[in-house]
């Protein structure tokens, strides 16, 4: 069973950019209500998608360089990465079926 990985500014390159599978990166913060709604959905999707996609979260309060690098202005922001490049983004919370479709379409 695959689990959601928590990354930091220091480990972002290894966790996301050098991943050999597509990565969904969730920019979030503990005080963000919609982020807390998306969290359990990402846990479920990580388990269901297994090794096809890596789901990674980064806390924007503790890690400010990475969100700045990608121009993240509101959260939750979800970015899909393939081969080290951001290929798609979604701002705001989505229901599970739409989030799964976003991942499938962009991975």
């Amino acid at each position: 069973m695959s689990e959601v990985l928590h990354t930091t500014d220091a480990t972002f390159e290894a966790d996301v950019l050098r991943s050999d599978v597509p990565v969904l990166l969730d920019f979030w913060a503990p005080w963000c209500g919609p982020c807390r709604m998306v969290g359990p959905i990402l846990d479920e999707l990580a388990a269901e998608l297994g090794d096809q996609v890596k789901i990674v979260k980064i806390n924007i309060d503790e890690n400010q360089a990475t969100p700045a690098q990608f121009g993240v202005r509101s959260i939750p922001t979800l970015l899909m990465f393939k081969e080290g490049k951001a290929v798609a983004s979604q701002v705001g919370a989505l229901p599970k079926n739409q989030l799964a479709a976003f991942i499938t379409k962009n991975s």
Side-chain angles (χ1 to χ4, degrees):
M1 177 171 126
S2 209
E3 298 203 4
V4 173
L5 177 71
H6 291 264
T7 192
T8 64
D9 286 341
T11 60
F12 170 76
E13 184 175 340
D15 290 339
V16 176
L17 299 182
R18 292 195 195 145
S19 174
D20 51 5
V21 295
V23 176
L24 176 72
L25 179 62
D26 174 28
F27 293 91
W28 76 288
W31 48 263
C32 165
C35 299
R36 290 198 307 269
M37 289 169 37
V38 169
I41 297 171
L42 294 177
D43 291 338
E44 289 176 27
L45 290 171
E48 290 169 18
L49 296 170
D51 298 331
Q52 302 167 29
V53 174
K54 189 191 303 186
I55 297 181
V56 180
K57 297 176 71 131
I58 187 164
N59 182 327
I60 65 160
D61 289 343
E62 297 170 358
N63 304 280
Q64 297 177 349
T66 304
Q69 179 182 346
F70 292 99
V72 173
R73 300 198 185 287
S74 60
I75 55 172
T77 291
L78 302 166
L79 288 182
M80 251 344 264
F81 287 84
K82 277 172 87 170
E83 297 170 2
K85 307 229 179 325
V87 295
S89 65
Q90 167 64 44
V91 178
L94 288 177
K96 182 177 176 183
N97 62 337
Q98 290 180 5
L99 197 48
F102 172 77
I103 294 170
T104 304
K105 182 175 111 183
N106 296 295
S107 61

